[in-house]
Amino acid sequence: MLSKYIFCAFILLPLICFPQTETADDSTSNDYNNEIQFYFINQVIIAYKYNISENSGLRFRANVTGLFNNNESENIEYNDPETNTPHYYRIYKNTQSDHFFEINIHYLYMIRTNSIMHLYFGGGPFLNYNNRIREEIYENYTNENILDYTYLRKYKEEIWNAGISTIVGIESIVYKNFTFFAEYEAAFSKGWYTRSNYAPRPSYYSATEKYHEWNYELKGIRIGAGIYF
């Protein structure tokens, strides 16, 4: 609900706070045909947009969250009192990792409402990759040196998605060539999944599952800032 109010504010504030007359600082003029965009969300997303004409543009966007935030953690770690001795001890570890990457190409059509604001919509292809690993192990130590380790459970998932996403948004010039934007995105894709499970205890279990399916996702509203040059 809050995101809807934010999106409405991006539409109304430029109309209220700024005059609707053409100015020499219009960043969407022919002097500024390139734009770098950054997204304000909990992922690392950057985009480059090139204005082909006054009302159309091509945008290349990359989600590189996997390079900066792989979510690796050992969130449980403790000694096993049943096996600990002065020369031997065991540690339980639960490790998780999550890597996500995505690339998009969007063709955008802009509708200029005044000199500091325009609406845009468009779409294009995308491809993403997600790799998740969960594992639980016992590490056995002797005299502070690792002796061996025992897997309790391991889960691995790899997902490839390819499809088309559609965008509708609004961009407002706040100062010369500096802008804020808000957009809503929906995606339709086909996904290829590979899931592997391994659990030796209490009874040995190992399985790999592969399948594909069609997906439809509403990614919601995203907010960001851009710099024209």
Side-chain angles (χ1 to χ4, degrees), residues 26-132:
D26 183 5
S27 70
T28 59
S29 69
N30 292 332
D31 294 336
Y32 300 100
N33 290 324
N34 304 275
E35 184 185 14
I36 299 295
Q37 296 180 328
F38 307 90
Y39 285 73
F40 301 149
I41 57 176
N42 58 355
Q43 294 181 317
V44 183
I45 300 179
I46 188 171
Y48 165 74
K49 185 177 73 172
Y50 174 73
N51 289 336
I52 301 173
S53 67
E54 184 180 358
N55 297 107
S56 64
L58 195 62
R59 182 172 71 178
F60 302 88
R61 191 179 70 185
N63 185 330
V64 291
T65 304
L67 294 177
F68 301 95
N69 183 20
N70 57 21
N71 294 326
E72 291 186 355
S73 62
E74 293 177 348
N75 54 14
I76 301 177
E77 182 174 336
Y78 60 86
N79 292 330
D80 182 359
E82 296 183 0
T83 60
N84 287 351
T85 68
H87 303 289
Y88 175 86
Y89 63 95
R90 172 182 288 178
I91 293 178
Y92 169 78
K93 290 185 177 180
N94 181 348
T95 305
Q96 306 181 36
S97 64
D98 195 341
H99 303 265
F100 181 80
F101 303 91
E102 183 177 80
I103 54 174
N104 302 75
I105 301 175
H106 289 135
Y107 175 81
L108 303 175
Y109 183 80
M110 283 85 76
I111 302 175
R112 304 192 184 282
T113 59
N114 54 60
S115 62
I116 52 87
M117 183 182 73
H118 66 260
L119 305 174
Y120 62 90
F121 59 90
F126 75 90
L127 175 70
N128 64 41
Y129 172 73
N130 199 182
N131 181 290
R132 303 188 186 104

Side-chain angles (χ1 to χ4, degrees), residues 186-203:
F188 181 72
S189 65
K190 186 175 183 179
W192 291 264
Y193 299 78
T194 301
R195 292 188 172 102
S196 300
N197 284 283
Y198 170 73
R201 298 181 180 182
S203 59

